[in-house]
Amino acid sequence: MNAAIQTRIAQLQIVKAKVLAALRKGENYELKTELNSEYKERRKEAVRRVIANMTVGKDVSGLFTDVLKNMHTDDLESKKLIYLYLINYAKTQPDLVILAINTFVKDAEDSNPLIRALAIRTMGCLQVQEVLDYLCDPL
């Protein structure tokens, strides 16, 4: 009986180790996969979840480049959420924000006034010198 209990405890410890390993991959790994999905709706939902995690204080800065890849969208809601993410993490990753300059400039020349205003406002909030250099032209 004692050997059976020890065997069961060993099995449970193995299961526990596997569960902990899966949790380490965690939600950020899942979000990264979803942000790189080929389906537009899955990417949009992933951006929503990233912002939700960011709002409750979870560190999602590791997803910066994956969120940045989704900037080229016609969906206004996604664009707003991505710009909000950029404003939040621009100070910690100013070198990567430079990758977004072309999209900001393009959006600042968009025919939709909401997209133009969003791009100009976001560029002004980023406080990254390289981005601020491009802010004067649309104004």
Side-chain angles (χ1 to χ4, degrees):
M1 173 113 163
N2 199 13
I5 292 174
Q6 288 179 344
T7 304
R8 184 65 182 152
I9 289 173
Q11 289 173 338
L12 289 173
Q13 287 175 338
I14 292 171
V15 170
K16 179 182 173 184
K18 287 181 181 179
V19 168
L20 289 176
L23 287 175
R24 284 187 194 112
K25 279 189 179 177
E27 194 169 5
N28 279 358
Y29 178 79
E30 182 181 328
L31 288 171
K32 183 179 187 87
T33 305
E34 294 294 315
L35 285 168
N36 293 308
S37 173
E38 62 182 286
Y39 302 107
K40 187 176 181 179
E41 281 303 313
R42 289 175 79 178
R43 289 191 310 262
K44 183 176 179 178
E45 184 59 32
V47 170
R48 285 182 187 147
R49 288 177 46 210
V50 167
I51 298 302
N53 284 336
M54 182 182 78
T55 311
V56 296
K58 292 185 181 175
D59 181 26
V60 288
S61 61
L63 301 170
F64 197 89
T65 54
D66 300 301
V67 172
L68 205 59
K69 290 177 191 174
N70 289 287
M71 277 184 72
H72 305 286
T73 181
D74 296 329
D75 183 43
L76 188 59
E77 179 187 357
S78 293
K79 196 170 282 284
K80 285 180 181 180
L81 294 173
I82 291 167
Y83 281 10
L84 177 64
Y85 178 90
L86 291 175
I87 290 169
N88 195 46
Y89 286 108
K91 291 177 185 172
T92 60
Q93 302 193 10
D95 295 340
L96 293 175
V97 173
I98 296 169
L99 300 172
I101 290 176
N102 288 337
T103 304
F104 286 132
V105 170
K106 180 179 160 248
D107 286 351
E109 297 170 352
D110 197 273
S111 60
N112 184 341
L114 289 173
I115 293 176
R116 283 196 312 266
L118 183 63
I120 293 169
R121 184 196 74 183
T122 304
M123 282 193 291
C125 291
L126 290 178
Q127 299 177 0
V128 175
Q129 185 60 42
E130 290 81 0
V131 175
L132 294 177
D133 293 340
Y134 289 89
L135 184 59
C136 294
D137 293 336
L139 293 176

